[in-house]
């Protein structure tokens, strides 16, 4: 799907992180049972997102013509920490555009973790060339919910 004209993907600034927190919360709430219950309050999530270190990590924001944040991808080294899209624009190509940008900024590849129950995200990532490389019972995450690691590696021509 096409994002249309006037949509911009760029590195977010510190002052824009509160908008990222709202997209994160809205997307998680709208996903319902795809996510296990959060172990943090919305207030704690907002404080956590505002604390992200933009000198170490890259947060790519997708902004509409109106300047409103439609989604974001948070990248730390070669790990996609999260990709969240405002539920009002899901299915419009925002997630695909953000993931394509992540592939550009991580040309050697990257990985991510997703909950097993988040089947829509798993299908989305698989459709964009990521493959499952590890599955756990969730003992290593805060929610204690089964998850899996997916990875994308740029395929290089042989020879």
């Amino acid at each position: 799907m096409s994002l249309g004209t006037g949509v911009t993907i760029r590195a977010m600034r510190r002052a824009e992180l509160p908008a990222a927190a709202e997209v994160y919360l809205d997307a998680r709430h709208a996903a319902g049972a795809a996510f296990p219950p959060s172990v943090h309050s919305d207030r704690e999530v907002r404080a956590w997102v505002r604390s992200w270190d933009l000198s170490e990590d890259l947060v790519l924001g997708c902004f509409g013509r109106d300047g409103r944040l439609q989604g974001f991808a948070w990248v730390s080294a070669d790990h996609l920490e999260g990709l969240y899209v405002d539920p009002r624009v899901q299915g419009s190509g925002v997630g695909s555009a953000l993931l394509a940008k992540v592939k550009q900024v991580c040309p050697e590849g990257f990985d991510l973790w997703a909950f097993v129950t988040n089947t829509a995200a798993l299908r989305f990532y698989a459709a964009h060339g990521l493959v499952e490389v590890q599955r756990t019972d969730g003992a290593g995450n805060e929610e204690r919910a089964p998850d899996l690691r997916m990875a994308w590696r740029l395929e290089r021509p042989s020879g």
Side-chain angles (χ1 to χ4, degrees):
M1 296 187 166
S2 172
L3 282 176
T5 59
V7 175
T8 304
I9 295 178
R10 62 167 173 77
M12 292 183 68
R13 297 182 274 275
R14 174 149 308 284
E16 296 167 326
L17 289 179
E22 297 310 313
V23 167
Y24 175 95
L25 289 167
D26 289 348
R28 287 214 41 165
H29 292 312
F35 283 93
S38 180
V39 298
H40 299 286
S41 70
D42 289 359
R43 183 181 176 151
E44 289 170 326
V45 168
R46 289 180 180 105
W48 168 65
V49 173
R50 283 192 315 268
S51 76
W52 292 350
D53 185 352
L54 298 181
S55 69
E56 294 286 324
D57 298 339
L58 173 64
V59 180
L60 296 165
C62 181
F63 296 88
R65 283 184 294 251
D66 60 0
R68 188 175 58 82
L69 182 66
Q70 297 181 339
F72 71 90
W74 172 25
V75 181
S76 181
D78 60 354
H79 183 72
L80 178 57
E81 296 284 351
L83 190 156
Y84 292 88
V85 176
D86 184 324
R88 294 171 289 191
V89 297
Q90 286 178 359
S92 68
V94 170
S96 294
L98 284 165
L99 194 58
K101 191 69 169 174
V102 171
K103 288 177 177 180
Q104 288 176 1
V105 299
C106 299
E108 297 301 314
F110 61 91
D111 68 352
L112 60 88
W113 286 95
F115 293 110
V116 171
T117 53
N118 195 350
T119 56
L122 300 178
R123 282 192 307 271
F124 169 81
Y125 291 125
H128 286 83
L130 282 81
V131 296
E132 180 181 336
V133 294
Q134 182 181 1
R135 190 175 285 247
T136 80
D137 63 3
N141 64 53
E142 288 183 317
E143 293 85 354
R144 302 292 184 248
D147 59 357
L148 58 86
R149 187 167 64 97
M150 299 183 82
W152 176 80
R153 301 288 179 249
L154 179 64
E155 293 190 28
R156 303 196 187 284
S158 59

